Amino acid sequence: MANNIGIMDSAYFVGRSEILAWINSTLQLNLSKVEEACSGAVHCQLLDVAHPGVVPMHKVNFDAKNEYEMIQNYKVLQDVFNKLKITKHIEVSKLVKGRPLDNLEFMQWMKRYCDSVNSGLHHNYNPVERREVCKGGRETTKKSAQSQTSTKGSTTSRTHSSHNARRNEVSTAANATNQAPKATSTRPSSAGGPAYNEQITELKLSVDSLEKERDFYFAKLRDIEILCQIPEIEQSPVVAAIQKILYATDDDGTAVAEARAMISGEQKEAELFMSPIAEVSEEKSCSETLKRKSINNLDFDAAGITNLSPRQRISDVSDGHCSESPLMTC
């Protein structure tokens, strides 16, 4: 079972397109983004596919738009997790925000788990029929059917236009061939040959290396995100600046500038806050130094008195009395 799998597991390297294809084919939906499943309803039905009859689908709301409605779906999902003794922690507060990275990670885990149950085979399961008992299930099915129909229509029109274009190209090529000299027939065709195969192999190798590089840097970004979620440093301004850059959707460089402004502003506030404290501490240190000096002088005088002999002490006292009296001379 895939209750808890490591961050470097192959499940977390499945791409968005593959995840979307799996969701749409399994549930007969037409999602275009992984974060469209942030309401939790899709997760509940995917678990219902893996364990038919375990999920109370009448409690699932496919029409959830607000966060409190989405939380109810995740409560249903958590109850099913408890029944099945699944120890996977659900980050509800992050999933309902619709963040692409969080939703992709959780959906990757869902795919791994569903594939591990009965080898991913789902016999005699009708997702449309099961979705009808849910709130907003019929509307979701209708929207998916309409979008699929429009997609098929656009694909068909594109196919017809491409066929017509190909016919025109073929006729043009035939005319050019008839008019061309016979010597051109000896040229090798560009549709085959060892050079063509070698080019295909090079392209495949470059695609593989790019995918590995993409997966490597994705894993690094995920490690940084997990590190920023540690409670001890989560409220740090540096962590907030890092998250600002991680979750930025624009590539115009404003996120980096805003992150720098956040850090510099926090440093200025810290300096303003620490300056009066430093002055007070300096004053305290000076006063404490003076007190220590006076105490040391008193201790020194007391030590000197104790070291005198009794005769010396009496003579000192008599000297003091003589000096104080104006009538007596010693």
Side-chain angles (χ1 to χ4, degrees), residues 47-48 50-57 76 79-81 83-84 130:
L47 204 59
D48 184 65
H51 302 279
V54 177
V55 181
M57 293 297 291
V76 175
D79 292 339
V80 178
F81 274 20
K83 289 180 182 178
L84 299 174
R130 287 289 291 168

Side-chain angles (χ1 to χ4, degrees), residues 91-311:
E91 297 284 352
V92 180
S93 59
K94 296 179 180 179
L95 294 174
V96 296
K97 299 294 184 183
R99 293 177 178 175
L101 194 60
D102 294 322
N103 282 272
L104 175 62
E105 179 194 350
F106 190 66
M107 195 60 74
Q108 287 170 337
W109 180 90
M110 286 290 300
K111 185 179 187 304
R112 175 61 179 272
Y113 178 81
C114 293
D115 290 343
S116 65
V117 177
N118 298 324
S119 300
L121 300 177
H122 317 296
H123 300 289
N124 300 325
Y125 184 84
N126 191 343
V128 176
E129 184 179 352
R130 287 289 291 168
R131 201 159 47 238
E132 287 182 355
V133 300
C134 304
K135 182 179 179 181
R138 294 183 179 179
E139 289 77 6
T140 303
T141 303
K142 289 180 181 178
K143 290 178 182 178
S144 300
Q146 290 175 358
S147 58
Q148 287 176 359
T149 303
S150 61
T151 304
K152 289 181 179 179
S154 61
T155 305
T156 305
S157 61
R158 289 177 184 175
T159 305
H160 285 304
S161 61
S162 62
H163 281 313
N164 294 330
R166 287 177 182 176
R167 289 177 182 175
N168 294 331
E169 289 177 359
V170 170
S171 60
T172 305
N175 294 330
T177 303
N178 293 329
Q179 295 175 359
K182 293 181 180 181
T184 58
S185 60
T186 59
R187 293 179 181 178
S189 63
S190 62
Y196 183 74
N197 295 331
E198 185 178 356
Q199 187 178 4
I200 291 175
T201 304
E202 291 178 356
L203 290 174
K204 287 182 178 180
L205 292 174
S206 63
V207 169
D208 292 338
S209 62
L210 289 173
E211 288 180 352
K212 289 180 180 179
E213 185 177 1
R214 177 203 64 188
D215 297 339
F216 174 78
Y217 286 110
F218 176 80
K220 293 296 181 184
L221 289 173
R222 181 58 186 154
D223 291 340
I224 294 171
E225 186 183 31
I226 292 173
L227 182 64
C228 292
Q229 294 171 359
I230 297 176
E232 289 79 3
I233 63 172
E234 191 173 8
Q235 303 300 326
S236 173
V238 177
V239 173
I242 293 173
Q243 290 177 341
K244 184 75 175 176
I245 297 173
L246 280 177
Y247 300 136
T249 56
D250 298 329
D251 296 334
D252 53 358
T254 56
V256 178
E258 292 176 0
R260 290 179 178 174
M262 291 169 62
I263 296 175
S264 61
E266 190 69 22
Q267 289 178 348
K268 290 180 181 178
E269 291 180 1
E271 291 175 357
L272 293 174
F273 179 74
M274 292 298 293
S275 58
I277 296 176
E279 292 176 0
V280 172
S281 63
E282 289 178 359
E283 292 178 359
K284 287 184 178 179
S285 62
C286 293
S287 61
E288 289 178 358
T289 304
L290 292 174
K291 288 180 181 179
R292 288 175 182 174
K293 288 182 179 179
S294 61
I295 291 170
N296 292 332
N297 293 331
L298 291 173
D299 292 340
F300 179 76
D301 294 339
I305 292 170
T306 54
N307 293 330
L308 293 175
S309 62
R311 291 181 180 179

Side-chain angles (χ1 to χ4, degrees), residues 309-319:
S309 62
R311 291 181 180 179
Q312 290 175 339
R313 293 179 187 175
I314 292 169
S315 63
D316 291 339
V317 172
S318 63
D319 292 339

